Amino acid sequence: MRAIGLFTSFLFILSFFWHSISHNLARVYQKLYAVSHYDYQALYDENCKKEVNWHQKIFCLKEFANEEVMSFLQSIEEREKNTICLKRKRSVEESFFGNEKVVVKSMEFKGFFANLFRMGMGVNVWNNAELAKKINVAVLKPIALVEKRAWNKSKTFIIYKFEGKACEEEIKNSDSWFAKIQALEKLLTKKCLVHDDFRIKNIVLLDDGSLQLIDIDKLHLYPSKSVVFRARMRREVRKFNQNLLENGYRVKKLAFETSSPSKSILHNLMCLYRQIFMISSYGYVGINDPEVVKKLSRAEKIFCKKEYATEEMMQFLSEMEAKNREILWANFERVGSQVFLDGHHFIVKSIELKGYLPNLLRMNGATHVWNVAHYVKAKGVPVLKPIALVEKRAFSETRGWVVYLFEGKICNKSIDFTKIKELRDLLQKKKIAHHDLFLRNIVTLDDGSL
């Protein structure tokens, strides 16, 4: 009985502190994620002018990168600036790029180990602005970044155009801004994105009436339906409402809308099962198929259906990274493009997977597309079948391209719903989950099939 009493007490205490535990788990996850994704997104931005060495890195959008601006960035510490505010290791100052008024935010980190695995605040802001742009979340975009690094300290500067005004006063004068903030919070929840300091002071109103998030160095994206995300977001909404009260706004407050915990737990268990299945099914479908032309090595694998494997196509696949293609869309590490070869119109989807551990046991997304297309075809489920696959594997990065023949058109609301229902019933009968079953992911071929 004593053991049962102790165990019951332990469960009671755990439930009492569960919110804090979930929040701390979320912070640990965020730190580990930041370490494993140590990278400079600006290095790959073709719209940036760059000056890069170990001690100093400078990135500036080309539209602003004239000689005067680059000289300012090279000597940014010595340049005259007006201080707006100072807070611990952070400073906010204003200055000028020629006639352009700008805001300069800077932060310094000291200590060898503190800088070994940590990027500067400015780099995080730039990376997070790119992330937010990809998932259509409105943030104030920086125009330049400077990082100065020594063996025991680093200092970063992030530069913005001087635009917009703080919402702290606006929200007191009009309820219309509150509706926009509600829409912003719902968008963050939908995208599973946590701001980490979601307050009125970190939202600005631009001249066109749109709201933009600022102070985004700790912006973080969580997996869909994450239990840990709910704990973080609920806390941010609660603190935002407290912030409203402190600013004298007592009429309304934000409400955090989410699914029930049981549904999220079941969803996460399903996702875990799928990941384990992917690891245990690590392989390349078609490696022994006589109808597929193959070029195999550890660093590069190429598969192409024989009927399309012309000399021009095989050369295109071998030089996939260097070939120019018209970009159709970009989303996270996924990019869609089109190309014309041998009189055919092809769609090329590229998927990038970074990090040593993710690449150790997991195949690239493009390879999964190739494998799953063959798997469900054997099950009798109609999918658009790729005609070629390229996978390039390095120590900590894998890039994959899957090539489709351009055919069919995306379904719209006028599609015969009975056909959709038949497709849904077939997936249910075969026990196959598409995981993103929307009209945008269904095409109608010339013969009327889906």
Side-chain angles (χ1 to χ4, degrees), residues 304-350:
C304 185
K305 289 187 177 180
K306 276 188 175 178
E307 58 186 296
Y308 298 99
T310 62
E311 186 175 338
E312 185 180 3
M313 171 59 87
M314 296 306 290
Q315 183 178 356
F316 170 77
L317 296 175
S318 298
E319 301 171 359
M320 181 67 82
E321 284 181 294
K323 292 292 185 181
N324 291 324
R325 302 184 298 278
E326 182 184 348
I327 303 298
L328 299 177
W329 51 264
N331 185 14
F332 295 109
E333 295 88 4
R334 300 178 177 231
V335 178
S337 56
Q338 64 180 354
V339 68
F340 295 87
L341 282 175
D342 293 330
H344 293 295
H345 186 184
F346 297 106
I347 298 295
V348 182
K349 292 186 178 180
S350 67

Side-chain angles (χ1 to χ4, degrees), residues 280-297:
S280 62
S281 301
Y282 193 107
Y284 296 88
V285 172
I287 203 163
N288 298 314
D289 189 347
E291 296 300 316
V292 174
V293 175
K294 302 169 279 287
K295 286 186 176 180
L296 306 176
S297 67

Side-chain angles (χ1 to χ4, degrees), residues 193-212:
L193 195 68
V194 170
H195 181 278
D196 206 65
D197 194 16
F198 187 54
R199 309 287 182 273
I200 308 171
K201 66 182 181 184
N202 288 328
I203 303 173
V204 296
L205 173 68
L206 298 191
D207 292 337
D208 62 2
S210 65
L211 299 182
Q212 309 274 314

Side-chain angles (χ1 to χ4, degrees), residues 412-417:
N412 55 37
K413 293 179 181 179
S414 63
I415 191 70
D416 184 358
F417 185 74

